[in-house]
Amino acid sequence: MQMAFMRGISTDVIRLGKKYRLQNFGEIYEFEVVGFMQGDNFTFKDLTTLETYEYQKLIEFGKGKDFEIIEL
């Protein structure tokens, strides 16, 4: 039986005010966490565009083979 291996950190250790890099389907986002919502959802500010996003909206189409979150 082959187990899936997730690189990087879990959303359980995401902290308010910290900066992270998320990679998914070849896209890379560097962001700062600005708020928490229900469950493992949170809002973040993109460090490049300064736009605010919801984590769940960003991954609503799934997690690619390259999915990874790391702390900056």
Side-chain angles (χ1 to χ4, degrees), residues 5-10 20-25 27-29 31 55 59 63-71:
F5 177 71
M6 186 173 121
R7 301 180 317 188
I9 63 172
S10 167
Y20 300 91
R21 176 180 296 132
L22 180 144
Q23 180 172 330
N24 195 25
F25 294 114
E27 297 287 327
I28 296 175
Y29 302 88
F31 61 90
Y55 173 72
I59 63 162
K63 296 178 182 177
K65 292 181 181 181
D66 63 343
F67 182 84
E68 178 180 43
I69 300 175
I70 59 169
E71 187 173 352

Side-chain angles (χ1 to χ4, degrees), residues 14-18 31-37 40-46 51-56:
I14 299 280
R15 298 293 177 247
L16 188 65
K18 296 282 187 172
F31 61 90
E32 179 179 353
V33 177
V34 295
F36 287 101
M37 304 173 85
D40 66 350
N41 198 13
F42 55 89
T43 55
F44 64 87
K45 179 175 71 173
D46 187 297
E51 292 184 61
T52 303
Y53 299 97
E54 276 186 41
Y55 173 72
Q56 290 297 326

